[in-house]
Amino acid sequence: MSGSRASLTVSVVICVYTEDRWEDILAAVDSVRAQSHPARETLLVVDHNEALRDRLVKEYKEYTERREVRVLANAGPRGLSAGRNTGIAASCGEVIAFLDDDAVAERDWLRHFAEGYADPAVVAVGGRTVPIWASGRRPVWFPEEFDWVVGCTYRGLPPGRVRVRNVLGGNASFRREAFEAAGGFATGIGRDGDKRPLGCEETELCIRLSRARPDAVLLIDDRAVIHHRVPAAREHFGYFRTRAYAEGLSKALVARSVGADKGLESERRYATRVLPAGVARGLRDAVLARPGGAGRAGAIVAGVLTAAGGYVVGTLRARRGGATFSVAPLAPAEGGAHG
């Protein structure tokens, strides 16, 4: 089992795929190197982009020689899940943390993660992800209840350090034993570059982990904060609708794999309590002539209906065998040194 909080070693995995995010990638790595609880290493996993990989190797040559920053090629099929699995297999920390390539972590991000692992029953700790809107402010119509659409913590999650069914993948950490017990992230379900933004791979992994280790505790600590860029294209309703539909497709895959009881456990509370309260707030704001109230209420209703449509389509596809994903045991990657 892992050592004390102060000595806990953490490897940070950042999956990257495009040179368009070059400055964001550098900022993400800088934020890891500035942590109050130092990372054992930062692993940059490049998703089938040789030009980007070569550029990163040159950029971090000095740090690679000291094994502070390592640049790896995704050893599996294209996509975020295989990239994360490559990072896990090559890492050497007792805990593996994941940071999005267009996000920066606050200085105490890893310290708060490490504190969570003081309890040996804890196998995963996630954090809070705050949006950085390209326009400088949240679109008035965009409901906080749907911030998951842009990869951020959404309204309705309980505050503080709390036990959860699943952590959110762009700001999360796991003990190494979690992957040894449950395997890695499922391929065929997560994101693949700029294609349709499917997700839920971390939800499926966490449910699988809880089944493999019924005593496992998964936490979210909202003090472990990262700031995540939201590009201008994602501030529009068209992306909102596309992402909600994709979430429905993904939830259908997860539910078929792990069963609807577990696969939709958190979503039922979200749909029956959090979203109706959001609609009521939006309508109240509209009555009070506050900006965006009616738009937020309408966006919540549209988001629910679109996600439900995606779920129905995804369920039919899964039944016909047209949409699948797979989980393979994690083999140590070249250069991996667990310890």
Side-chain angles (χ1 to χ4, degrees):
M1 191 60 69
S2 299
S4 68
R5 180 183 74 194
S7 63
L8 188 76
T9 57
V10 184
S11 297
V12 177
V13 174
I14 303 174
C15 295
V16 302
Y17 72 98
T18 176
E19 290 184 85
D20 293 343
R21 292 186 177 180
W22 179 255
E23 296 299 328
D24 291 337
I25 294 167
L26 300 187
V29 174
D30 285 347
S31 75
V32 175
R33 296 187 62 246
Q35 289 296 301
S36 58
H37 182 110
R40 167 91 175 254
E41 60 187 348
T42 301
L43 296 99
L44 290 167
V45 184
V46 184
D47 194 14
H48 299 272
N49 184 333
E50 283 302 311
L52 175 58
R53 181 173 175 271
D54 290 344
R55 191 176 177 188
L56 287 169
V57 167
K58 292 176 183 176
E59 177 73 23
Y60 290 109
K61 181 180 179 181
E62 172 189 348
Y63 301 104
T64 300
E65 291 170 353
R66 301 200 297 259
R67 292 183 70 84
E68 291 179 14
V69 180
R70 297 162 59 198
V71 180
L72 309 170
N74 179 1
R78 187 181 300 276
L80 182 57
S81 291
R84 285 174 173 166
N85 290 342
T86 297
I88 295 164
S91 65
C92 51
E94 298 163 278
V95 165
I96 300 100
F98 299 93
L99 179 65
D100 278 345
D101 64 344
D102 53 356
V104 292
E106 292 191 358
R107 177 171 167 76
D108 292 329
W109 177 60
L110 291 183
R111 181 172 71 83
H112 291 305
F113 278 174
E115 288 174 350
Y117 292 107
D119 179 353
V122 173
V123 297
V125 183
R128 177 162 57 97
T129 303
V130 179
I132 304 173
W133 301 96
S135 62
R137 57 178 294 181
R138 172 187 296 275
V140 294
W141 62 269
F142 202 114
E144 292 182 23
E145 291 82 0
F146 272 78
D147 276 5
W148 55 263
V149 162
V150 291
C152 295
T153 301
Y154 55 90
R155 185 171 192 158
L157 287 176
R161 185 195 288 170
V162 292
R163 190 167 182 171
V164 292
R165 178 196 66 181
N166 64 276
V167 296
L168 304 178
N171 179 10
S173 65
F174 296 84
R175 286 194 199 272
R176 180 171 303 282
E177 300 98 289
F179 302 110
E180 293 169 354
F185 289 91
T187 58
I189 186 174
R191 284 177 175 266
D192 177 1
D194 291 318
K195 293 183 180 179
R196 174 169 282 156
L198 297 176
C200 296
E201 66 275 13
E202 64 274 0
T203 301
E204 191 276 336
L205 170 63
C206 290
I207 293 172
R208 185 164 20 100
L209 175 57
S210 294
R211 287 185 166 178
R213 289 272 304 275
D215 61 335
V217 175
L218 291 77
L219 302 175
I220 283 183
D221 187 338
D222 65 5
R223 299 171 301 167
V225 179
I226 71 169
H227 298 264
H228 183 270
R229 286 192 179 279
V230 180
R234 297 186 183 182
E235 293 188 8
H236 298 292
F237 185 70
Y239 180 83
F240 178 92
R241 186 176 53 199
T242 299
R243 182 66 184 86
Y245 181 76
E247 184 75 2
L249 292 175
S250 299
K251 289 291 186 213
L253 272 177
V254 172
R256 183 153 179 82
S257 171
V258 302
D261 286 348
K262 274 293 181 185
L264 300 175
E265 182 179 52
S266 297
E267 288 73 14
R268 289 193 183 94
R269 176 188 172 279
Y270 172 74
T272 58
R273 299 183 187 179
V274 175
L275 294 184
V279 171
R281 270 191 301 274
L283 294 176
R284 180 196 63 198
D285 287 348
V287 169
L288 296 174
R290 293 172 179 165
R296 289 192 297 276
I300 291 174
V301 173
V304 170
L305 293 176
T306 305
Y311 184 82
V312 170
V313 171
T315 299
L316 292 173
R317 287 182 184 173
R319 286 176 181 169
R320 294 169 185 162
T324 61
F325 60 94
S326 60
V327 180
L330 290 172
E334 184 178 351
H338 301 169

